[in-house]
Amino acid sequence: MPNPYREIFARPGTKGFSAAAFVARLPLPMTTIGLVAMLSQTHGEYWLAGAVSATFALANAFISPQVSRWVDAKGQSAVLLPTTIVTFLALIGLAAAAWMRWPIWTLFAFALVAGLMPSMMALVRARWSEIYRDRPELHTAFAFESVIDELVYICGPVFGIGLSVALFPEAGVLASAAFLAVGTTLFVVQKSTEPKVDPQRMKGGGSVMRLRAMWFLVVLCAGMGVIFGTAEVSVVAFSEAMGNKGAASYILSAYAAGSFVVGIVFGAIKFKSSLARRLLFASLVAAVTTLPTPFVGSLWGLTAVIFLAGAAISPTFISAMTLIERIVPSSQVTEGITYAMTGMSIGFAAGSSLAGWTIDAHGASNGFWVAVAGGALALTTMLTGFGLLSRSEPQAVPDGVALNPAE
C-alpha cells in the first residue's frame, strides 16, 4: 500500500527544509511562554510577564504579514537573514534586560522588536506549494505540516518553561534565540527548494486582503483561534476547580493528540469533494464539538470531549491553507498563509482574555461558552462565505488527479 507521506519526501531537498523549519518555528511558542516563565521569576509580577508576552505575540501577529509580503517580493533568503538577526538580538536584549533589571520600558521595547520574527509556518508551506502546486501531494504536505505544528506547540512550551525553571530564568528565551538562529540558517542555505520570485510581484500587486475570499478565511481562523485560546485557560481553571490542577497537562495533551491523529489520517485520504465543501464540514464539526464542553462534570469526561474537539483542528487548517494556496496569486502564498495565522493569533488572544474574564465572573465551566461562541463564529463565517469561496477556487481539482500529467 503506497504511503503518501513517503511520496511527498521523494523530491530532493524536502526532508532538509522541513527538518530545518521544525527547529526554526519552535521559537514562537517558546518565546511567548518563556517570557512569562522568565519575568515571573526575575520580577515576581505576573501582570508584567503577561503584558510583555502579549506585546510580543500581538506585535508578531501584525508585523509578520508585512514581513511575509516582503518575502514574496524579495525572496526568502533576502528577507530571512536581516529579520532573523534583528529578532535574535531583540531576544538577547530581553534576556539581558530581565537579568540586569533594566527599566521596565526596555522589556516592552525589545518584545516589540522581537515581533519581527518571520512566520516559519507560512514559509515552509510556501516551499511545499512551489514543489507541488496544483498536485494532490500538496494536500498531504499541508497535512504533514499541520501535524508538525501540533508537535511544535507541544514541545515549545515544554522547552520554554522547563529550561527556565531547571537552569536559570533567562534560559528559555536564550534557547529560543538559539533555535531561531540555527533553524533559520539551515533553512536559508537550502536554495534548491526556495520559491522563485515573480518579477511582476516586485512592482507591487497589492495585499492579498484585497480578495474578499481572504477575509472569510482569516475570520474563520480567528474563530478557531478563539476555541484554542479558551481551551488553554478554561481547562486549567476547570482542573483547579476539580482539585487537580496538574490534570490540565494531560487534558491539553489529549487536545493536541486528537488533532495529531486525525491530521495524519486526513492527509492520507484522497478526496473528491471541493476544498470549500471540506472546510464547511470541518467548521461544522469544530462548532458541534464545542457544545458539550460547558456541561462536562468530570476530568475524564472533559478529556474525552477535548480529544474529540481536537479532532476538528487539523482538517480545518489543512483545508483552509490549501484553499488559500489556490485562491491567492502564486507569488503571494506566503503572505496569504501568514494572514490566516494572524487571524488565529488574534482569535487566540481574544479567546483567552474573554475566557479568563468569564471564569472570574461566572466560574470555570462557563469559560467554555467562549469556545462555543468561537465555533459559532467559524461556522457562520463559512456558511456566509461558502458561495464565494467555492467560486474562488479556480485551480481546485479532485485529489488524486494532477493537472500536469507529464509530471
Side-chain angles (χ1 to χ4, degrees):
M1 182 177 179
N3 184 339
Y5 292 100
R6 181 180 300 168
E7 292 172 4
I8 64 172
F9 286 107
R11 293 289 185 92
T14 51
K15 294 178 182 177
F17 79 71
S18 184
F22 175 79
V23 176
R25 71 181 110 176
L26 279 169
L28 183 58
M30 279 185 68
T31 300
T32 52
I33 196 69
L35 287 171
V36 174
M38 177 179 73
L39 295 175
S40 63
Q41 292 182 80
T42 58
H43 290 67
E45 296 174 304
Y46 276 95
W47 74 264
L48 176 63
V52 173
S53 179
T55 298
F56 165 75
L58 290 175
N60 184 255
F62 286 101
I63 295 173
S64 58
Q66 308 311 315
V67 174
S68 292
R69 191 177 182 190
W70 189 19
V71 166
D72 285 331
K74 303 291 185 180
Q76 291 187 351
S77 299
V79 176
L80 278 176
L81 289 175
T83 54
T84 297
I85 290 172
V86 172
T87 306
F88 175 83
L89 293 175
L91 291 175
I92 298 299
L94 272 166
W99 179 50
M100 302 183 70
R101 291 302 189 92
W102 291 348
I104 296 298
W105 68 265
T106 61
L107 294 169
F108 288 95
F110 282 125
L112 189 65
V113 176
L116 195 65
M117 184 183 292
S119 177
M120 190 57 62
M121 294 178 184
L123 292 165
V124 68
R125 285 174 170 87
R127 292 207 179 199
W128 285 117
S129 297
E130 183 77 4
I131 296 170
Y132 290 124
R133 180 166 288 115
D134 305 335
R135 295 184 59 88
E137 289 91 339
L138 187 61
H139 166 78
T140 304
F142 278 10
F144 174 79
E145 291 304 327
S146 291
V147 169
I148 295 300
D149 289 343
E150 294 298 329
L151 289 177
V152 166
Y153 276 95
I154 292 172
C155 297
V158 172
F159 293 159
I161 296 175
L163 291 171
S164 181
V165 172
L167 300 178
F168 50 91
E170 300 82 10
V173 173
L174 292 175
S176 175
F179 279 131
L180 179 67
V182 173
T184 303
T185 300
L186 293 174
F187 188 80
V188 167
V189 297
Q190 300 180 65
K191 301 289 188 181
S192 63
T193 53
E194 182 175 346
K196 298 178 178 61
V197 176
D198 182 356
Q200 295 301 315
R201 179 74 182 89
M202 300 287 286
K203 301 177 182 178
S207 170
V208 295
M209 296 308 293
R210 71 187 185 280
L211 303 172
R212 285 180 58 213
M214 276 299 302
W215 284 95
F216 286 104
L217 291 170
V218 170
V219 175
L220 168 73
C221 289
M224 295 299 293
V226 170
I227 298 175
F228 304 159
T230 302
E232 291 269 327
V233 176
S234 298
V235 166
V236 174
F238 183 84
S239 299
E240 185 173 16
M242 297 297 289
N244 187 2
K245 189 174 183 179
S249 59
Y250 71 72
I251 296 174
L252 289 173
S253 294
Y255 194 48
S259 179
F260 183 91
V261 172
V262 174
I264 291 175
V265 175
F266 190 80
I269 297 175
K270 302 298 183 182
F271 289 97
K272 294 183 179 180
S273 59
S274 69
L275 279 165
R277 192 174 299 276
R278 251 178 275 169
L279 188 53
L280 176 61
F281 181 75
S283 61
L284 172 62
V285 174
V288 169
T289 53
T290 64
L291 296 177
T293 53
F295 305 103
V296 175
S298 69
L299 291 173
W300 286 110
L302 183 61
T303 303
V305 170
I306 284 292
F307 177 83
L308 294 176
I313 298 175
S314 290
T316 304
F317 278 101
I318 293 166
S319 301
M321 298 306 169
T322 309
L323 187 54
I324 288 172
E325 187 273 337
R326 287 183 175 165
I327 67 176
V328 305
S330 60
S331 59
Q332 293 180 273
V333 169
T334 312
E335 181 188 354
I337 293 175
T338 304
Y339 269 112
M341 299 291 185
T342 295
M344 186 187 72
S345 298
I346 293 173
F348 186 97
S352 58
S353 299
L354 288 172
W357 178 87
T358 304
I359 290 166
D360 287 338
H362 304 289
S365 292
N366 286 312
F368 288 108
W369 284 110
V370 180
V372 174
L377 173 63
L379 178 58
T380 302
T381 301
M382 195 59 213
L383 287 170
T384 305
F386 178 74
L388 176 61
L389 291 171
S390 297
R391 294 191 301 271
S392 300
E393 200 179 332
Q395 298 175 342
V397 295
D399 284 352
V401 178
L403 291 182
N404 186 356
E407 291 189 22

